[in-house]
Amino acid sequence: MNAPRARVARRPVHGVLLLDKPLGWSSNDALQKAKWLLRAEKAGHTGTLDPLATGVLPLCFGAATKFSQLQLDADKTYEAVARLGIKTSTGDAEGDVIEERPVKVTEEDVRNVVSRFAGLIRQIPPMHSALKKDGKALYEYARAGIEVEREAREVTIYKLNMALAPVDIAQPAIKMIVKCSKGTYIRTLGEDIGEALGCGAHLSALRRIETGGFDVSQCVTLDALEAMTEEERLKCLMPVESLLRDHTVVTLEAESAGRFLSGVRRRGAWPDKGPVAVYGPSIGAGPADRVLLGTAHVVADELIPGRLLSPLEIEQISRL
């Protein structure tokens, strides 16, 4: 996974790759592999998945990196398995066993605790997480054997389906489907459910099946990507504007588009809107009849620029 790679000639690549992150890979390792395969100059992911986790990891290339925060803030859906009766130091299968308890849990017990974890709940972030305190990630303190105080945070569980799913006679488990807000720790949810059932638990499997409207069925694996030609890999990319599907669309004429790209507010008969995707007429020889300029919001008939593409990025995208 971390073997030295041959140097490649980088090139401008713009778009979103929906990757099905493999088990055992860090999000950054997966990003760097995809970046190398695409020979991309600039890339970033949209929030980490633990090595234990698989599933939807949107990777942003070029101009798309300017809008990656939208995916960080998006609601997400997971499939998870929590092994009952065993607590670990990390809350998942990668940690050391710190406690074992007998399991006497019925399907009725599982149904009875669901309501306690639906809606707005409070979670204490795990020590083994990337959340920072005093400029240092919590997992760095944890690795040094230091536990620091963490404040509980509010998150929202929009949907929680749970069922008892015995893995074997000695060690039953719970299968969960969880739709939740940003900032939700599924490891912590699994641990807290285990405590509510009186036996403890740790997360043994985690798969993200949806994030921000992107579904795992749309994803490509690293193995599949590696087997493709360069042209086929580029065809896997979704356009930059796929990150802005929920934005209101405003289209500007050429002169107004140029001024908007310079950061100048434009006036028009637009209703007040929060997130707006702003387009201008096509530039270059590409087939598109409009090109993305960036984002904005509208206040009192004024279109106020937000994150903007550069003229060079717009030209490069228009050539595709």
Side-chain angles (χ1 to χ4, degrees):
M1 180 169 23
N2 294 313
R5 303 189 184 109
R7 293 185 66 85
V8 297
R10 301 289 183 181
R11 58 183 173 177
V13 174
H14 303 281
V16 181
L17 179 72
L18 298 182
L19 183 71
D20 187 343
K21 190 191 81 65
L23 182 68
W25 287 60
S26 73
S27 294
N28 188 59
D29 284 337
L31 169 69
Q32 295 306 321
K33 177 71 171 183
K35 182 180 178 183
W36 182 78
L37 288 170
L38 285 164
R39 297 197 292 117
E41 291 177 344
K42 183 178 181 182
H45 59 66
T46 56
T48 58
L49 275 176
D50 292 338
L52 172 72
T54 64
V56 189
L57 182 65
L59 303 180
C60 296
F61 294 88
T65 61
K66 294 182 175 180
F67 311 109
S68 60
Q69 183 65 41
L70 296 170
Q71 277 298 309
L72 285 170
D73 295 339
D75 297 335
K76 299 167 176 63
T77 304
Y78 297 90
E79 292 178 342
V81 176
R83 292 289 296 265
L84 299 175
I86 298 177
K87 294 182 65 175
T88 70
S89 57
T90 58
D92 60 24
E94 295 187 316
D96 299 324
V97 175
I98 58 174
E99 185 181 356
E100 294 190 48
R101 289 187 243 170
V103 179
K104 298 179 181 179
V105 176
T106 66
E107 287 283 7
E108 185 178 1
D109 294 329
V110 174
R111 288 193 295 269
N112 288 339
V113 302
V114 168
S115 61
R116 294 170 57 177
F117 297 94
L120 191 66
I121 66 171
R122 294 175 66 81
Q123 285 189 331
I124 297 176
M127 281 299 302
H128 287 268
S129 68
L131 193 67
K132 292 190 175 182
K133 182 177 178 65
D134 299 329
K136 185 187 294 188
L138 289 180
Y139 66 77
E140 295 181 72
Y141 292 103
R143 289 172 182 171
I146 302 170
E147 182 160 348
V148 298
E149 187 175 347
R150 291 99 67 204
E151 290 187 8
R153 304 194 306 178
E154 289 188 341
V155 296
T156 302
I157 308 297
Y158 300 107
K159 181 178 77 172
L160 176 60
N161 294 338
M162 293 199 304
L164 197 59
V167 176
D168 52 51
I169 295 174
Q171 195 59 60
I174 289 175
K175 283 190 173 182
M176 302 185 287
I177 297 178
V178 186
K179 182 174 182 179
C180 55
S181 66
K182 70 170 183 175
T184 303
Y185 289 97
I186 307 300
R187 276 180 295 158
T188 301
L189 181 65
E191 287 185 302
D192 291 345
I193 289 171
E195 288 303 313
L197 292 170
C199 58
H202 72 275
L203 212 65
S204 61
L206 180 63
R207 182 164 177 77
R208 187 157 69 191
I209 58 174
E210 187 272 337
T211 176
F214 295 127
D215 187 85
V216 71
S217 63
Q218 301 171 274
C219 293
V220 63
T221 65
L222 280 177
D223 286 344
L225 199 66
E226 192 161 19
M228 295 177 185
T229 65
E230 282 202 339
E231 184 177 351
E232 289 171 334
R233 290 169 190 163
L234 288 174
K235 288 181 179 178
C236 289
L237 291 172
M238 302 180 71
V240 175
E241 54 262 35
S242 65
L243 295 172
L244 310 177
R245 290 174 299 179
D246 294 333
H247 287 46
T248 300
V249 172
V250 168
T251 303
L252 301 176
E253 297 297 329
E255 181 180 350
S256 193
R259 295 180 66 81
F260 176 80
L261 274 180
S262 299
V264 179
R265 300 183 180 191
R266 311 310 300 143
R267 294 198 65 84
W270 302 297
D272 287 6
K273 292 287 182 181
V276 174
V278 183
Y279 293 84
S282 179
I283 300 172
D289 57 2
R290 66 178 189 182
V291 296
L292 180 68
L293 305 179
T295 59
H297 63 281
V298 177
V299 176
D301 294 335
E302 277 197 326
L303 189 66
I304 303 171
R307 299 302 302 271
L308 302 178
L309 274 66
S310 71
L312 178 60
E313 289 170 335
I314 293 173
E315 183 182 356
Q316 290 168 345
I317 294 171
S318 297
R319 290 174 182 168
L320 298 179

